[in-house]
Amino acid sequence: MRRNLTFFGLTFVLFSSSLSAQKKIPSKGEQLKLAQTILADPKLKYVDSLARQVIKEGFNAGSGYSQIWARDLNTFIETALEERPASDVRGAILLFFQMQQPNGEMVDGYVLKKDFTWHDDTPYYSKNAPDHVGFKNTVETDQETSLIQLLGKYIQKTKDYSILDESIGGLSVKERIQLMLDYLKRERFNKTYGLLWGAMTADWGDVQPHDDFGCDWNALSNEAIDIYDNAMLIIALQNLIEIHPNGAKTAGWKKFKKELETNSRHYLWDHKKQKFIPHIYPQHSPLPKGFDENQIHYHGGTAIAIEAGLLKRNEIKTVNRQMLENVRLSGMPSIGLTLYPTYPAGFFKGWMAAPYHYQNGGDWTWFGGRMIQQLIRNGFYQEAYDELQPMIDRVVKNKGFYEWYGKNDVPSGSGKFKGSAGVLSKAIALLHQWASETAE
């Protein structure tokens, strides 16, 4: 829930896309044929071109959103750097650090004060950015890690290491990064499990149940540990190690990362079911009596866990098969399906109370596209190309990138959602890179 700014499209999409079954490792001839098919596919080129047009428009999350969000920009920054001046991207990143709070925490995002037009009873301000207002969905714990990943991608692509020494309010960006990590370990770290916690939400989502608004930590919140938050931190630490390998803090980052990897596998990976459990509840559970939450598969968090290197290749193959089966059973259009089965009707309040709405089983290219990227990076090229097709087809059909899709592929939310555009553009780039190398 984006501070009451999300709106819902009502266009009905009447088409279906098939997902092929997973196959054995293809021969060189089959790989060459696939590579040639990918390189000749006009839909991939069209969708990439359309994505670049959308991302070129600015760094806000999409149509209907005036705000710049760290978690969103993190997923389209690489394409943005190819379509916008690097100085513009640099400035957008530094503004996040200017909005950092005295306790070290980071906001979700920011807007100019003149664009602060929605009701929010907990705005964030900073003397380092007097013309802006920040906001934060405090049920989530991915703001700091999203910004670190965003910064890492910027440096890796531009080689602009000088941004780390940029001074903001008397502190360098490097120092402010450590303040963010210190905040997480002090305020959002469960020492018993050695893992980050947030409020109970649906997978990677930022809406808690039993609450009319759902985005702010309050008396209705339940402390919960999940794979998404912790995988995001593992990736962020890896980014820091790569961009600052000889820093004074690097040894500590490596140790912390290893502990998170060990604890994530130990406490959150269900070896028997070959899936991640949705949550650990250190205190009180919000679940209805008799409800087995571990029947639910979290697609988004699993994709991020693969990106964090938490699953072996055979496990990736297994969870991808599970996703495909979940898509078949649910009748939803793609592996962007947030989770399956959904939480019971009425478990979440408001319009998210219905199954297959928003984060309770909605289909989000924003995360499905990231799973496609991980399939490519782990050598599942045919699977990636096949499972990408429903996401590509609906962009072609709608001539745009919707925020999420409901039953029958009904598009909803922002019609120009840049997170969706960014992950598809990156997936297409990875496919084309592999195909070009294979076809040589």
Side-chain angles (χ1 to χ4, degrees):
M1 184 172 291
R2 299 295 180 84
R3 299 289 183 186
N4 297 326
L5 288 181
T6 302
F7 60 88
F8 308 98
L10 295 176
T11 304
F12 285 84
V13 183
L14 301 177
F15 75 99
S16 61
S17 299
S18 61
L19 296 172
S20 68
Q22 300 219 24
K23 302 175 182 179
K24 295 180 180 179
I25 297 175
S27 66
K28 288 185 178 180
E30 289 172 326
Q31 288 186 330
L32 177 59
K33 183 178 179 180
L34 173 62
Q36 292 170 338
T37 299
I38 290 170
L39 293 173
D41 189 337
K43 291 189 296 183
L44 296 184
K45 295 173 184 176
Y46 169 75
V47 170
D48 181 56
S49 175
L50 192 61
R52 291 174 182 278
Q53 292 176 33
V54 169
I55 290 170
K56 191 181 294 186
E57 295 176 3
F59 305 133
N60 60 308
S63 56
Y65 294 122
S66 58
Q67 316 103 318
I68 295 176
W69 296 71
R71 67 170 66 98
D72 295 67
L73 184 53
N74 179 42
T75 57
F76 64 87
I77 180 176
E78 288 141 316
T79 304
L81 281 166
E82 296 171 1
E83 300 299 328
R84 296 289 298 264
S87 58
D88 290 353
V89 182
R90 191 181 199 270
I93 294 172
L94 287 175
L95 237 168
F96 277 104
F97 285 98
Q98 291 166 10
M99 289 301 303
Q100 187 174 27
Q101 299 298 292
N103 65 351
E105 75 175 311
M106 189 52 61
V107 296
D108 260 316
Y110 57 80
V111 291
L112 286 166
K113 284 185 176 178
K114 68 180 181 61
D115 294 324
F116 184 51
T117 57
W118 69 97
H119 172 70
D120 187 341
D121 56 7
T122 54
Y124 289 71
Y125 299 97
S126 171
K127 63 181 181 181
N128 296 315
D131 296 329
H132 288 79
V133 179
F135 50 88
K136 186 172 185 175
N137 292 356
T138 52
V139 295
E140 190 50 84
T141 312
D142 69 345
Q143 295 87 356
E144 292 77 16
T145 55
S146 293
L147 180 58
I148 292 170
Q149 291 179 35
L150 170 59
L151 176 68
K153 290 173 183 174
Y154 168 80
I155 292 175
Q156 288 167 349
K157 196 165 180 70
T158 64
K159 309 305 178 187
D160 177 18
Y161 291 88
S162 69
I163 194 172
L164 293 170
D165 296 312
E166 187 79 24
S167 180
I168 297 171
L171 294 173
S172 69
V173 167
K174 282 185 295 191
E175 292 172 312
R176 289 187 173 279
I177 288 170
Q178 191 57 50
L179 289 177
M180 288 194 292
L181 294 175
D182 292 344
Y183 164 79
L184 289 176
K185 292 193 79 171
R186 184 180 67 250
E187 302 292 339
R188 289 291 178 112
F189 193 71
N190 185 290
K191 294 181 180 179
T192 300
Y193 294 96
L195 293 167
L196 288 185
W197 58 268
M200 184 279 172
T201 63
D203 195 2
W204 50 267
D206 53 7
V207 181
Q208 66 185 353
H210 317 320
D211 185 357
D212 289 329
F213 178 57
C215 295
D216 286 335
W217 181 274
N218 56 32
L220 297 172
S221 303
N222 294 91
E223 180 182 333
I225 297 171
D226 63 32
I227 191 58
Y228 170 70
D229 290 336
N230 288 283
M232 286 289 287
L233 179 53
I234 290 168
I235 297 167
L237 290 168
Q238 181 60 37
N239 290 156
L240 288 177
I241 293 164
E242 291 171 357
I243 64 176
H244 201 49
N246 301 313
K249 301 289 186 179
T250 305
W253 295 338
K254 289 181 178 179
K255 182 175 182 291
F256 188 24
K257 176 174 173 283
K258 181 62 177 177
E259 291 170 352
L260 288 166
E261 290 169 343
T262 299
N263 293 335
S264 293
R265 287 283 304 193
H266 179 70
Y267 292 112
L268 294 172
W269 178 248
D270 186 328
H271 290 272
K272 184 176 180 180
K273 292 188 175 183
Q274 289 286 285
K275 63 181 286 293
F276 287 101
I277 67 171
H279 294 108
I280 297 168
Y281 298 105
Q283 298 180 25
H284 305 289
S285 168
L287 301 172
K289 187 176 181 180
F291 178 72
D292 179 13
E293 190 182 34
N294 197 28
Q295 67 183 313
I296 299 176
H297 294 249
Y298 273 8
H299 287 200
T302 300
I304 304 306
I306 296 171
E307 184 179 353
L310 290 173
L311 295 187
K312 305 179 184 71
R313 194 175 191 278
N314 65 312
E315 293 170 333
I316 297 171
K317 186 175 183 178
T318 297
V319 297
N320 188 49
R321 283 176 170 169
Q322 292 170 348
M323 290 182 185
L324 291 173
E325 178 64 4
N326 293 341
V327 169
R328 186 187 71 80
L329 292 171
S330 67
M332 293 295 281
S334 85
I335 60 168
L337 172 66
T338 315
L339 50 83
Y340 181 82
T342 64
Y343 286 91
F347 179 72
F348 287 92
K349 283 200 170 186
W351 52 271
M352 194 172 151
Y356 304 108
H357 277 69
Y358 203 52
Q359 295 159 3
N360 188 20
D363 183 323
W364 293 69
T365 302
W366 191 28
F367 278 83
R370 281 184 258 186
M371 183 61 186
I372 300 298
Q373 293 171 20
Q374 297 315 309
L375 289 173
I376 299 166
R377 285 175 166 156
N378 286 278
F380 297 96
Y381 307 112
Q382 185 69 61
E383 292 86 348
Y385 182 63
D386 291 344
E387 294 169 43
L388 180 62
Q389 295 309 305
M391 303 180 207
I392 295 294
D393 288 343
R394 62 193 177 198
V395 172
V396 174
K397 177 76 173 182
N398 298 315
K399 296 181 174 59
F401 302 87
Y402 278 87
E403 190 169 359
W404 63 279
Y405 300 80
K407 284 280 192 178
N408 300 314
D409 233 358
V410 177
S412 299
S414 173
K416 290 184 177 181
F417 192 62
K418 291 174 184 169
S420 297
V423 296
L424 287 183
S425 178
K426 185 171 179 178
I428 291 167
L430 290 172
L431 272 178
H432 276 154
Q433 179 183 352
W434 171 80
S436 296
E437 294 170 354
T438 301
E440 286 180 353

